[in-house]
Amino acid sequence: MNRTPLRVELDVFSGRPNPAWQLDDDAAAHVRDAIASLDRAESDRPLPAPGLGYRGFRVTDQTESSFTVFDGVVRTSELSLADPDRRIERLLFANVPPEFADLAQSLAPEVGPADD
């Protein structure tokens, strides 16, 4: 199991740095396991429009491999994975550090309620 940390960036601002943080090994493993359970997307949804507002997450590992998570799709450079329940986005929102909690709370309704 890959237990290296992941750097997460909440893509929300224009003209100033986006909030970013590192997931610990356990949270990173949980995200990777959830992504491994996804199927290929039948078709891509459009990418978010540039500008202000929630545009998903950018996630990078120590090898500089990255993927984006937005609107029920996890995109790597090679493929798109379907996440119709937006589970990966909710996992990333659940791991927002306290200093960004107010911002994340204001954006979380765009993703929908968390699974109970």
Side-chain angles (χ1 to χ4, degrees):
M1 176 190 311
N2 188 342
R3 298 202 39 95
T4 58
L6 294 173
R7 180 185 181 276
V8 179
E9 178 183 332
L10 176 57
D11 190 7
V12 67
F13 295 135
S14 179
R16 69 179 188 163
N18 285 314
W21 63 95
Q22 185 168 297
L23 293 179
D24 65 30
D25 292 349
D26 289 337
H30 193 75
V31 168
R32 283 187 177 98
D33 289 347
I35 290 171
S37 72
L38 299 177
D39 294 321
R40 286 194 140 188
E42 296 282 326
S43 63
D44 278 341
R45 290 190 177 139
L47 294 171
L52 292 174
Y54 175 67
R55 296 181 304 272
F57 293 91
R58 292 184 192 135
V59 183
T60 309
D61 68 16
Q62 291 177 329
T63 67
E64 299 301 316
S65 295
S66 66
F67 58 91
T68 59
V69 181
F70 178 73
D71 196 22
V73 177
V74 176
R75 289 179 176 86
T76 70
S77 60
E78 295 88 31
L79 59 99
S80 295
L81 301 170
D83 186 18
D85 298 326
R86 298 176 86 169
R87 180 175 171 211
I88 307 304
E89 281 173 279
R90 288 197 310 270
L91 281 170
L92 294 171
F93 270 116
N95 283 282
V96 169
E99 62 265 29
F100 306 126
D102 289 343
L103 175 62
Q105 185 176 11
S106 71
L107 297 171
E110 294 191 40
V111 176
D115 290 335
D116 291 337

